[in-house]
Amino acid sequence: MKTIIVVSVVTLVVLALFPQIHFANAQLGQKTSEKQYINLRAEVWNEFFRMTTAAFVVGAIVSGTMIWLVWRFRESNPKNKTPTRWEKFDDPTTGTYEEGGH
Amino acid sequence: MGHDTAEWVFVGIVIAILFYVGVDSWIVQKAVEEIPADAETIKVTGQQWFWSFEHPDGTKEKITLHLQKGHAYKFEIYAKDVMHSFNIPDYVVFEDAVPGHVNHAWFSPEQTGEFPIQCREYCGIGHYQMRGTLVVEESKS
């Protein structure tokens, strides 16, 4: 399990950073006649858009999971007629549900 | 896929994204804050209610700042009386001017023209008119 997590984390980070490394190397290779400085405005706006994308991805994952949970575990879902193995009460103190109870 | 696996993948993806946010922000901040070694130092002084500037050769200007395109400039920002904030919106230069403290900012103009300079910290009754002009001229060298 830990391996899956570590591999997925490393893969995502490498995929995300690869374009930057590529462009940085491309810029280093250029022979320019005059000095080049970074454009602060472009850097800041690029970072803003990347962070916005990351925020929306996290938001989509979290809200998507919640929507799926609500849909999957709703009472009317036919899959919920039989309790899952996590819902079987072995502990007698948890009580039982009676037909037509309160 | 087991019950735990889905949860761990979920946690792993979110941690990966947050890790990416941290690393990427750190890289960009480092790049943006690194002042080029050949940057010319301009002393900027804010006082009620105008900006004054001093070039490395001792030339002084008030309200209007003349710079050259394609050069890097480092601002040393001072305040004489109360807090001000030195802002050139078009070039994302935005740094407080604090009495008794020197702040730094840098930029390199890539376009010629006139750009507004303004105070972005309320500094008294004349704050609204504490404006200046950045004039970017073609490089002479």
Side-chain angles (χ1 to χ4, degrees), chain A residues 1 4-5 8-9 12-13 16-17 20 35 37-41 43-44 47 50-51 54 57-58 61-62 65 86, chain B residues 3 5 8 10 12-13 16-17 19-21 23-25 28 31-32 36 38 70 72 90 92 106-108 110:
Chain A
M1 182 51 57
I4 294 173
I5 295 167
S8 61
V9 168
L12 281 171
V13 170
L17 296 178
Q20 292 184 20
K35 277 221 120 185
Y37 302 101
I38 63 166
N39 185 326
L40 298 182
R41 187 172 40 189
E43 292 291 332
V44 169
E47 179 68 357
R50 284 200 296 270
M51 293 299 102
V57 170
V58 171
I61 291 171
V62 173
T65 307
W86 296 284
Chain B
H3 182 62
T5 311
W8 281 112
F10 176 92
I13 290 171
I17 293 170
F19 185 70
Y20 163 73
V21 166
V23 171
D24 191 54
S25 305
V28 171
V32 164
D38 59 347
D90 291 281
V92 205
W106 83 275
F107 87 121
S108 174
E110 80 278 2

Side-chain angles (χ1 to χ4, degrees), chain A residues 55-83:
Chain A
F56 273 92
V57 170
V58 171
I61 291 171
V62 173
S63 60
T65 307
M66 290 172 74
I67 290 165
W68 177 81
L69 276 172
V70 169
W71 185 252
R72 168 63 183 80
F73 293 102
R74 72 189 194 278
E75 279 189 65
S76 59
N77 190 338
K79 287 181 181 174
N80 291 333
K81 277 181 183 166
T82 52

